[in-house]
Amino acid sequence: MSVHQNFIAGEWRASSRTSPNINPSNTDESIGEYALADESDTETAIAAATEAFSGWSTSGIQQRFDALDGIATEILARKEELGRLLAREEGKTLPEGIGEVARAGQIFKFFAGETLRLTGDVVPSVRPGINVEITREPVGVVGIVTPWNFPIAIPAWKIAPALAYGNCVVFKPASLVPGSAWALADIIGRSGLPAGVFNLVLGPGSVVGNALLEDRRIAAVSFTGSVETGHRVATACSARGAKFQLEMGGKNPLVVFNDADLDIAVDCAVNGAFYSTGQRCTASSRLIIEAGIHDRFVDAMIEATGSLRVGDAMDESTQIGPVVDQAQLNQDVDYIGIGKSEGATLAVGGDPVEGKTPGFYLSPALFVDTDNAMRINREEIFGPVATVIRAQDQDEAVAIANDTEFGLSAGVCTRSMAAANRFKQGSRAGMVMVNLPTAGVDYHVPFGGTKASSYGAREQGSYAAEFYTTVKTAYIRP
């Protein structure tokens, strides 16, 4: 089996160590063998990006547009093929995998256009005869560290703006999902970018990630992952004055008011809590239900959850794929045990499922009779596990929704626009959904949260310029 190598300074380069990419739907299957970079590989990539920066940062916008548009076009043309790869290595269902790849292509299309929409300001100075120009410039070499749950979309929404605004990139994907990252790097590497502008370094965070954090040539780090690792990124970058952007955990509430359409509410809850195997930072892990509709919602939710089909991500009948690996499965099962020990009632699911092939299968779990003080309502589980919390009225429901250290996404189901507006205004989350799942966002608008969920400038859309550029003010006397 050939080894998928690192991409450094415009070339594919081998490493001394490799690791197999295991299919969570069939642990007997290895998707491929992938390089494991060491400190030397990472240093070489950083040096290549540093050398390439002066040329790329001053390159013409047509060159940037052509490169990003070409990347987008190939991604979209190959979305079924790349979606199959994604489903095999990460475990989300094939339609979800194809949809994620399409989104990655759309992101590159959007930022290709952004290269042509760069603007600035020219204003008069308070001093006569002097003009002031305000422009945006790239920050430098950007270290990009991405998680395993969206192995092509999240890299796309970081890499595309970094390149569009004239930065050079050293990209470290999650070790669990190197295949999608390698395929994306292969496309980027053939897009006409100068050598060193984009670099892929596969390997563990303890090696590659630490090297990116400690190297002063890395001007900025964009990170998506756990809260614990995010804190380490913040500490390291702050110590040397580097820019950083963090997207971390969530414990997202979906609030259902008494006047909600029950079918819509259940659909939002099932989609938000269990699709993508619940492995989304925007997943609806807390279902906060007003008392008047609580019992009907619970009955309908138990029926809907119990009917979900768990299986191989490539099987067209599958609705919920496997958990990503054994460690995540163990964590999910542990939290199900914690919920029971806390006095919550496991209404349905929560059992390992035997598939046609050996894999990390778990039936979606729904807890009822919970309160917001329980660990299963305080800590991010990151699996197909949801809880129901009863609220006496709308005010209590909003208070419970906000009673969390996280603040990424929040949803409300109601027929009243007045109630929806009150919820939107009162929510302490960065994104609010009305009669929609808490998970599922567009690629052309900002993404991000508050409190422990996010730090720094928003990702995606034109707001990405806040992180990937720096403002320069120039005073000119003709």
Side-chain angles (χ1 to χ4, degrees), residues 72-150:
T73 298
E74 181 170 349
I75 291 172
L76 293 171
R78 296 172 57 192
K79 64 181 180 181
E80 284 83 9
E81 169 204 345
L82 296 173
R84 287 192 294 273
L85 170 63
L86 194 159
R88 287 174 64 212
E89 75 166 351
E90 194 272 343
K92 55 169 54 88
T93 64
L94 181 57
E96 289 176 318
I98 294 172
E100 181 180 334
V101 172
R103 180 178 173 185
Q106 291 160 345
I107 289 167
F108 271 95
K109 282 286 186 185
F110 176 86
F111 283 106
E114 284 294 273
T115 64
L116 306 180
R117 292 188 285 264
L118 292 171
T119 60
D121 295 299
V122 177
V123 299
S125 170
V126 295
R127 293 169 287 175
I130 296 175
N131 289 327
V132 182
E133 293 182 357
I134 304 164
T135 55
R136 288 190 175 274
E137 296 183 347
V139 296
V141 178
V142 179
I144 290 175
V145 182
T146 60
W148 51 260
N149 61 327
F150 284 89

Side-chain angles (χ1 to χ4, degrees), residues 282-299:
T282 52
S284 308
S285 52
R286 294 182 300 145
L287 310 175
I288 303 167
I289 316 301
E290 197 175 0
I293 197 174
H294 176 275
D295 292 351
R296 289 188 295 129
F297 175 87
V298 167
D299 289 344

Side-chain angles (χ1 to χ4, degrees), residues 117-203:
R117 292 188 285 264
L118 292 171
T119 60
D121 295 299
V122 177
V123 299
S125 170
V126 295
R127 293 169 287 175
I130 296 175
N131 289 327
V132 182
E133 293 182 357
I134 304 164
T135 55
R136 288 190 175 274
E137 296 183 347
V139 296
V141 178
V142 179
I144 290 175
V145 182
T146 60
W148 51 260
N149 61 327
F150 284 89
I152 196 167
I154 292 179
W157 84 46
K158 295 178 186 290
I159 294 167
L163 297 177
Y165 297 123
N167 301 282
C168 293
V169 169
V170 180
F171 169 40
K172 192 216 93 66
S175 297
L176 274 176
V177 287
S180 296
W182 189 93
L184 178 59
D186 178 51
I187 294 171
I188 295 173
R190 290 184 282 100
S191 66
L193 294 177
V197 169
F198 170 83
N199 304 271
L200 169 71
V201 188
L202 301 165

Side-chain angles (χ1 to χ4, degrees), residues 391-410:
Q392 292 306 309
D393 53 33
Q394 293 185 6
D395 288 342
E396 184 182 33
V398 175
I400 293 171
N402 287 331
D403 182 18
T404 173
E405 67 175 303
F406 300 106
L408 183 55
S409 184

Side-chain angles (χ1 to χ4, degrees), residues 334-354:
D334 286 347
Y335 270 108
I336 290 168
I338 290 168
K340 292 177 181 178
S341 69
E342 291 181 309
T345 301
L346 182 59
V348 64
D351 300 312
V353 175
E354 185 175 344

